Amino acid sequence: AREGLATHACGRSSIALLWAFAVDAAAEAMIDLSRRSTDAELLDVGVPDEEVRKSLADLRFVNRWLGNRRRLGATVLGLLDGIREPRLLDVGCGSADVLEWFRRGSPRPLLAVGADVKLLHLQLAPPSVQTVVADVRRLPFAERGFDVVTASLFLHHFDTEELAAILRSLYALARRGLVINDLRRARVPYLFGRLAFRWIFASRVSVSDGLVSIRRGFLASELQAAFERAGIPVSLKRSWPYRLLAVAERSHGGGHD
């Protein structure tokens, strides 16, 4: 009888907890998403190294299971097609898991270079990737030094006023094209995050930053406008799940064949 009462009480507690989470998520879903948030992410402000490692592991999980990695990979490798010795730069690469996936998917040996402002991020990168500690505002690379330049889930870290200059600097490094992959701001992913992030992420930083990232994400019109301000022609498409994939391809960019 006691076991039955305990099971019943546990079941009621679980239901109450889930109901509380649902009410909390529903309240948060009313948040204004009509404009990009300017709130900073904890990982950008600074957290203990162990939290950084756990958060980057969560991001690798997102890239593998909750992102548009296949479509992004097809786009990037398609731009590299036909180049004998392709060179790829990934800016804001974190622990370079996406860059390594590109490298493995390339039919030819690929020079894969990852740039990130934080050394700890790059220390977690695969040894097959070349890494450079660098700020996107002061990248130490020659103009058109790479065939393709990409930045995945990176651009939303910057306020709107900075975007045009960052896009111009990235585009200047690419012989064939620039590929930007980022979050599409919407209520559905935000509500999903409120309900699910605390269960699927190992780091408290990821829970907080994941929600801030969605609020800092873009409407298609906002990302299009950033490219227009930069003077860069772009093809912009929605990509599942709630991603924006922007490709700025040079009309006469060919690689070093």
Side-chain angles (χ1 to χ4, degrees), residues 123-136:
Q123 288 173 339
L124 300 173
S128 53
V129 170
Q130 295 190 24
T131 58
V132 178
V133 178
D135 190 315
V136 68

Side-chain angles (χ1 to χ4, degrees), residues 107-130:
R108 296 178 179 84
L110 173 64
L111 175 63
V113 179
D116 199 284
V117 74
K118 296 191 176 181
L119 175 60
L120 178 57
H121 295 187
L122 298 176
Q123 288 173 339
L124 300 173
S128 53
V129 170
Q130 295 190 24

Side-chain angles (χ1 to χ4, degrees), residues 84-101:
R84 225 177 13 240
E85 298 177 352
R87 299 163 57 89
L88 173 65
L89 172 66
D90 186 12
V91 179
C93 67
S95 55
D97 56 304
V98 173
L99 182 58
E100 171 65 5
W101 195 73

